[in-house]
């Protein structure tokens, strides 16, 4: 299989209004569904720390070519969404969840379908926060290398041993140090086989304003798991995926995430690090997501019939 950071699908951009008069950048690619009488749910991709909607371009085209309408949001303070210098480092997890809610409402109004939300890392934490009160508004939720609901503090020893800049970042309370150079970004987010030109390209797009408030919120328990688990279909709707070489959310944290949600099956993709959607082998990750989504959709169809 060949791997590429580009695809042939074009993207369009709209802006969706969230709370606090925030305008959210939403890039999208419309799917080509060649299966008659089958309507697939739209996919909504939610980025994590340092990123924006741009980081999903590989996945948008790939999934669109398989029939899904694909959307990626830039959360407030990121990408081309509204930026407020005095607030971008202190938006709360709840406010980011409101951004997701606003986009889900927009998608349902325009597609009449409940989306599948896919959150990466901090985006996974935001999706979990959103699910506390809004599980019934989605078809499924995919957590990619996501912070577990009990917080990231348990992974700190692993981070420090694998990314030396972590200790200095903690002492100076500036987590941007983890990715302040392409070399540091590679150690934190990517496998060693990423081409230098791609690494430089991605690093140039990273956000330099870091939300310290959300970092602190997600150090310890930040979501009420019982509120999510009380939803009757939650266990058949959750998908959890991690990367074998991820030094930010290691394998044991991914497995703990599955156990916390009642023993949900997790998938670990070989030879990929934290930024699974930008890695050289991003297509392997996309294939796992597709297969798991197909499983969930088939399960739902079986229950109906």
């Amino acid at each position: 299989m060949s791997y590429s950071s580009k695809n042939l699908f074009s993207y369009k951009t709209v802006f969706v209004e969230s709370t606090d008069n925030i305008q959210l950048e939403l890039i999208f690619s419309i799917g080509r569904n060649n299966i008659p009488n089958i309507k697939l749910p739209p996919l909504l991709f939610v980025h994590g720390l340092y990123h924006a909607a741009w980081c999903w371009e590989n996945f948008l085209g790939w999934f669109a070519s398989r029939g899904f309408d694909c959307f990626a949001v830039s959360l407030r303070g990121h990408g081309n969404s509204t930026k407020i210098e005095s607030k971008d480092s202190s938006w709360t997890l709840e406010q980011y969840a409101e951004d997701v809610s606003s986009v889900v409402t927009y998608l349902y109004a325009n597609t009449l379908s409940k989306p599948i939300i896919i959150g990466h890392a901090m985006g996974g934490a935001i999706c979990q926060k959103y699910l506390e009160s809004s599980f019934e508004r989605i078809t499924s939720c995919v957590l990619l290398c996501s912070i577990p609901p009990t917080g990231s503090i348990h992974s700190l020893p692993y981070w420090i041993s694998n990314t030396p800049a972590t200790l200095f970042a903690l002492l100076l309370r500036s987590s941007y140090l983890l990715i302040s150079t392409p070399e540091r970004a590679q150690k934190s987010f990517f496998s060693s086989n990423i081409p230098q030109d791609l690494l430089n390209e991605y690093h140039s797009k990273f956000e330099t304003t870091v939300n310290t408030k959300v970092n602190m919120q997600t150090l310890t328990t930040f979501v009420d798991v019982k509120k999510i688990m009380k939803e009757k279909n939650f266990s058949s709707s959750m998908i959890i995926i991690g990367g074998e070489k991820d030094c930010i959310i290691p394998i044991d944290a991914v497995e703990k995430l599955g156990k916390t949600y009642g023993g949900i099956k997790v998938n670990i993709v070989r030879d990929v690090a934290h930024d699974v959607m930008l890695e050289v082998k991003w297509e392997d990750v996309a294939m796992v997501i597709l297969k798991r989504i197909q499983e969930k959709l088939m399960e739902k169809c079986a229950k109906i019939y």
Side-chain angles (χ1 to χ4, degrees):
M1 182 180 294
S2 61
Y3 302 98
S4 170
S5 66
K6 308 297 180 185
N7 54 65
L8 300 179
F9 272 68
S10 60
Y11 310 107
K12 295 182 179 180
T13 303
V14 295
F15 286 86
V16 177
E17 186 169 350
S18 186
T19 56
D20 308 312
N21 296 316
I22 297 293
Q23 295 293 313
L24 302 173
E25 175 189 33
L26 189 66
I27 64 173
F28 63 96
S29 188
I30 300 302
R32 298 175 185 171
N33 192 350
N34 298 317
I35 307 175
N37 303 318
I38 296 292
K39 183 174 177 58
L40 297 171
L43 306 182
L44 172 59
F45 296 92
V46 183
H47 65 83
L49 197 65
Y50 314 110
H51 296 67
W54 63 266
C55 74
W56 298 107
E57 289 183 351
N58 291 330
F59 279 17
L60 292 183
W62 194 92
F63 281 98
S65 71
R66 287 154 178 81
F68 292 90
D69 293 344
C70 300
F71 302 82
V73 62
S74 291
L75 299 165
R76 60 183 68 198
H78 297 76
N80 293 313
S81 294
T82 301
K83 295 186 178 182
I84 303 175
E85 187 174 349
S86 61
K87 295 183 178 180
D88 287 343
S89 62
S90 60
W91 296 117
T92 66
L93 196 63
E94 291 76 12
Q95 287 170 311
Y96 286 144
E98 289 171 359
D99 291 348
V100 173
S101 180
S102 297
V103 176
V104 168
T105 298
Y106 172 85
L107 293 183
Y108 188 80
N110 285 273
T111 68
L112 300 181
S113 297
K114 297 179 179 180
I116 295 173
I117 58 175
I118 302 172
H120 174 253
M122 187 74 72
I126 294 164
C127 287
Q128 291 173 73
K129 195 65 181 175
Y130 168 77
L131 295 181
E132 275 188 338
S133 59
S134 303
F135 206 104
E136 75 287 348
R137 299 179 64 199
I138 65 160
T139 292
S140 184
C141 176
V142 181
L143 301 177
L144 286 177
C145 304
S146 174
I147 299 174
T150 50
S152 59
I153 194 167
H154 305 291
S155 297
L156 285 180
Y158 188 89
W159 295 357
I160 293 171
S161 63
N162 285 274
T163 55
T166 301
L167 182 59
F168 296 101
L170 288 171
L171 292 174
L172 298 176
R173 298 188 66 186
S174 176
S175 60
Y176 181 70
L177 282 175
L178 291 175
I179 58 151
S180 58
T181 65
E183 292 71 29
R184 285 180 175 176
Q186 185 271 313
K187 289 180 180 179
S188 295
F189 285 173
F190 300 101
S191 301
S192 58
N193 59 351
I194 186 170
Q196 188 65 44
D197 59 338
L198 270 185
L199 178 62
N200 292 340
E201 176 188 342
Y202 296 152
H203 183 263
S204 70
K205 295 179 178 180
F206 285 155
E207 302 286 339
T208 57
T209 299
V210 179
N211 192 317
T212 53
K213 192 164 192 174
V214 165
N215 277 345
M216 296 303 294
Q217 277 187 283
T218 55
L219 268 179
T220 55
T221 300
F222 60 87
V223 67
D224 188 340
V225 173
K226 291 181 180 179
K227 285 185 178 180
I228 298 175
M229 292 180 69
K230 75 177 182 180
E231 299 292 336
K232 62 180 180 180
N233 294 322
F234 100 91
S235 61
S236 62
S237 300
M238 297 277 280
I239 298 171
I240 299 173
I241 299 172
E244 180 189 29
K245 295 183 177 180
D246 191 343
C247 64
I248 301 296
I249 305 295
I251 292 175
D252 62 347
V254 179
E255 292 174 340
K256 182 177 181 179
L257 179 58
K259 291 177 182 177
T260 301
Y261 281 113
I264 291 176
K265 168 189 173 183
V266 304
N267 292 86
I268 304 298
V269 184
R270 294 186 60 188
D271 297 323
V272 295
H274 185 64
D275 263 13
V276 292
M277 62 286 184
L278 298 174
E279 276 276 67
V280 172
K281 293 188 176 183
W282 63 266
E283 201 167 355
D284 287 358
V285 181
M287 186 62 73
V288 172
I289 295 172
L290 177 63
K291 289 181 178 178
R292 293 298 309 278
I293 287 176
Q294 289 173 333
E295 288 174 6
K296 299 300 181 185
L297 294 179
M298 289 296 292
E299 289 172 6
K300 289 181 183 293
C301 287
K303 287 181 180 179
I304 293 174
Y305 295 103

